[in-house]
């Protein structure tokens, strides 16, 4: 007989997924059975286990065999899908397809009192299937830490919203959290209905910075305003690729590099286009200065990105909240450049007000009041200061490395 196992993990060498019609319910662009398998694969991978986990998908026996299906094993590097069996193993962890698991939520589920496992060899019969599935009544419950049981198909929409609600990043700026993310999550919910990949979306919206550049180059009030608004739209929609990736377990280093590449060149298009547009808007003997400033700003931004491209190191900065607010390369730069002498709160606010999402919204406001030139001046100023700090950090780190090598 099966019984709850309070506060201890069931055997994950063998996992039995009891599948019913909920296996086909789609949440966040994935069918429930696929999501369970991917969540389990993520858990096994992060646990560092060398042995693969055997997964048995137990469909009701009287179903037509053609109706049964298994998750795509090509994405399940740490699982072995057992597609032919006559009995279920003793000790196997039991999960129903009515269980929704968010990202990194499988560990929380396993450590909860809801986990059950097989205490005896179970034959593949309708009675045994009924007995297992009835141990997971479809009631709305969960421990609030990444998992819940869903009782009706109508709950899929609410569950999807909860899934995307946790898709933000701790590095998000203030504008992203309160303006950009709510919009991008709404758009992502629509995109998840289609087989679009994160990289496909990244490349598709790269058209927006190009379009922004063309409007900015028109060199009039409408062109500068529309171009800035389009660039802000790109900043908002740029969050969708990461949300799609996290919802569908599609994160990849290649996708991250493509996203970074498009973001960097999007910045180049904006400041260069802004410089050309301002040169036309302020036609005169010295109007060429705006074009030169735009090009110089782009070069400083590119040099800064090159300076920051070092092996990522896990550097803690005071409180965990402060550490999470920055990417590893920025934490390294702040530490090596000596900027941390200003104090945790000062550094936090300094970085927050200079984040890209905050800057782009400010650029829109400046364009509205016909002061787009200040957007270029601020971009150049921030690029110059950041390049100085990253250069100091780079050389300081190189000097420390040489000293360590000599000492050894």
């Amino acid at each position: 007989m099966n019984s709850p196992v309070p506060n201890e993990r069931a055997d994950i060498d063998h996992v039995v997924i009891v599948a019913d019609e909920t296996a086909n319910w789609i949440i966040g662009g994935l069918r429930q059975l696929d999501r369970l398998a991917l969540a389990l694969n993520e858990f096994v991978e992060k646990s560092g286990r060398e042995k693969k986990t055997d997964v048995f998908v137990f469909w009701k026996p009287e179903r037509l065999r053609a109706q049964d299906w298994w998750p795509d094993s090509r994405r399940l590097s740490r699982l072995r899908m057992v597609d032919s069996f006559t009995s279920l193993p003793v000790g196997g962890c039991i999960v129903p397809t009515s269980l929704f698991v968010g990202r990194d939520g499988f560990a929380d589920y396993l450590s909860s009192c809801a986990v059950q496992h097989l205490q005896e060899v179970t034959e593949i019969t309708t009675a045994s299937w009924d007995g297992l599935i009835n141990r997971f009544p479809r009631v709305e419950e969960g421990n609030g830490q990444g998992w819940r049981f869903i009782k009706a198909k109508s709950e899929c929409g609410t569950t999807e919203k909860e899934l995307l609600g946790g898709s933000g990043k701790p590095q998000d700026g203030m504008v992203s959290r309160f303006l950009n993310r709510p919009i991008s999550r709404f758009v992502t919910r629509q995109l998840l209905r289609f087989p679009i990949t994160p990289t496909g979306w990244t490349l598709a919206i790269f058209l927006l910075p190009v379009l922004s550049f063309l409007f900015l180059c028109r060199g009039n009030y409408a062109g500068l305003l529309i171009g800035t608004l389009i660039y802000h739209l790109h900043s908002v929609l740029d969050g969708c690729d990461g949300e799609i990736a996290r919802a569908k377990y599609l994160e990849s280093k290649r996708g991250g590099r493509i996203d970074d590449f498009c973001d960097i060149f999007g910045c180049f298009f904006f400041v260069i286009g802004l410089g050309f547009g301002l040169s036309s808007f302020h036609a005169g003997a010295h109007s060429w200065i705006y074009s030169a400033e735009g090009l110089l700003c782009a070069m400083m931004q590119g040099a800064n990105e090159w300076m920051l491209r070092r092996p990522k190191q896990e550097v803690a900065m005071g409180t965990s909240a402060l550490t999470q607010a920055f990417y590893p390369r920025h934490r390294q730069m702040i530490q090596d450049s000596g900027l941390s002498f200003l104090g945790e709160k000062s550094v936090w606010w300094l970085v927050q007000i200079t984040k890209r999402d905050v800057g782009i919204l400010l650029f829109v406001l400046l364009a509205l009041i016909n002061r787009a030139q200040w957007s270029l001046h601020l971009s150049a100023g921030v690029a110059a200061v950041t390049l100085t700090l990253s250069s100091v950090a780079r050389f300081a780190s190189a000097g420390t490395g040489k000293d360590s090598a000599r000492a050894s």
Side-chain angles (χ1 to χ4, degrees):
M1 184 168 180
N2 304 316
S3 60
V5 182
N7 300 321
E8 64 180 63
R9 286 187 176 167
D11 170 22
I12 61 166
D13 286 340
H14 309 91
V15 174
V16 178
I17 299 179
V18 188
D20 60 4
E21 71 276 6
T22 61
N24 292 301
W25 291 358
I26 298 176
I27 300 175
L30 289 175
R31 291 182 292 186
Q32 269 291 92
L33 179 53
D34 286 324
R35 183 171 297 282
L36 273 177
L38 288 165
L40 176 60
N41 186 76
E42 178 184 59
F43 169 76
V44 175
E45 186 174 36
K46 290 186 175 181
S47 69
R49 289 166 48 91
E50 295 183 2
K51 182 180 178 181
K52 289 188 176 183
T53 294
D54 291 335
V55 177
F56 301 78
V57 180
F58 186 12
W59 293 95
K60 197 168 187 176
E62 61 254 32
R63 281 172 51 98
L64 294 175
R65 181 70 178 176
Q67 295 176 322
D68 297 351
W69 58 276
W70 282 261
D72 185 356
S73 60
R74 292 173 298 180
R75 296 183 60 192
L76 305 173
S77 60
R78 304 307 306 153
L79 306 183
R80 187 174 74 90
M81 305 302 299
V82 183
D83 57 5
S84 180
F85 51 90
T86 57
S87 63
L88 300 173
V90 176
C93 173
I94 311 168
V95 292
T97 52
S98 60
L99 171 69
F100 171 80
V101 181
R103 293 306 299 266
D104 297 314
F106 209 90
D108 296 311
Y109 175 72
L110 289 178
S111 63
S112 74
C113 62
V115 178
Q116 300 194 28
H117 67 157
L118 291 167
Q119 293 186 339
E120 59 186 10
V121 175
T122 303
E123 299 299 324
I124 304 304
T125 64
T126 299
S128 63
W129 185 91
D130 289 337
L132 293 180
I133 202 71
N134 288 334
R135 295 193 176 278
F136 298 94
R138 287 188 204 153
V139 295
E140 186 177 350
E141 63 177 73
N143 65 355
Q145 296 181 357
W147 66 271
R148 61 180 293 194
F149 290 110
I150 47 179
K151 61 181 180 179
K153 195 172 184 179
S154 58
E155 290 182 356
C156 291
T158 302
T159 305
E160 184 173 275
K161 287 182 179 180
E162 293 176 357
L163 173 67
L164 293 177
S167 63
K169 297 184 291 186
Q171 295 87 3
D172 283 345
M174 294 179 287
V175 173
S176 285
R177 292 178 186 176
F178 300 108
L179 177 63
N180 295 2
R181 281 295 179 191
I183 298 173
S184 67
R185 285 168 184 154
F186 173 80
V187 175
T188 297
R189 285 200 68 195
Q190 316 314 311
L191 295 176
L192 287 173
R193 300 177 183 179
F194 304 96
I196 187 168
T197 63
T199 299
W201 180 252
T202 299
L203 295 175
I205 64 170
F206 188 65
L207 177 64
L208 292 175
V210 177
L211 192 61
S212 171
F213 173 83
L214 296 176
F215 272 99
L216 291 169
C217 287
R218 293 178 61 182
N220 54 32
Y221 173 78
L224 293 170
L225 177 57
I226 294 173
T228 306
L229 285 170
I230 292 174
Y231 188 56
H232 182 259
L233 176 63
H234 176 263
S235 177
V236 174
L237 298 181
D238 188 42
C240 295
D241 51 8
E243 291 164 359
I244 294 171
R246 289 185 285 278
K248 291 186 173 183
Y249 292 81
L250 290 174
E251 298 99 326
S252 69
K253 292 182 179 180
R254 176 177 174 271
R257 287 194 295 267
I258 292 175
D259 186 43
D260 289 342
F261 177 87
C262 290
D263 287 345
I264 292 168
F265 275 83
C267 290
F268 293 169
F269 279 129
F270 178 74
V271 294
I272 293 173
L274 186 58
F276 288 167
L278 289 169
S279 290
S280 299
F281 188 64
H282 298 280
H286 302 290
S287 61
W288 61 270
I289 293 177
Y290 290 110
S291 297
E293 186 177 8
L295 291 169
L296 178 61
C297 182
M299 287 189 288
M300 289 190 294
Q301 289 174 342
N304 182 56
E305 289 297 326
W306 181 81
M307 285 289 184
L308 291 174
R309 294 186 75 82
R310 302 186 276 171
K312 294 181 180 179
Q313 303 180 39
E314 290 301 319
V315 178
M317 297 181 60
T319 63
S320 60
L322 188 63
T323 298
Q324 292 177 0
F326 307 103
Y327 290 101
R329 60 180 188 163
H330 294 139
R331 295 200 296 266
Q332 188 72 43
M333 180 195 73
I334 291 170
Q335 175 179 280
D336 292 344
S337 67
L339 188 63
S340 55
F341 84 92
L342 294 175
E344 290 185 8
K345 288 187 178 180
S346 298
V347 171
W348 189 88
W349 278 108
L350 181 63
V351 174
Q352 290 299 317
I353 63 176
T354 55
K355 279 184 177 286
R356 191 178 66 147
D357 58 325
V358 176
I360 295 174
L361 180 60
L362 177 60
F363 297 163
V364 171
L365 298 177
L366 290 171
L368 278 171
I369 61 174
N370 201 19
R371 292 294 183 270
Q373 65 271 25
W374 281 103
S375 298
L376 183 58
H377 300 333
L378 288 170
S379 296
V382 171
V385 172
T386 307
L387 178 58
T388 300
L389 291 173
S390 60
S391 299
V392 171
R394 179 97 176 195
F395 291 124
S397 178
T400 301
K402 289 180 180 179
D403 292 341
S404 299
R406 289 170 185 167
S408 61

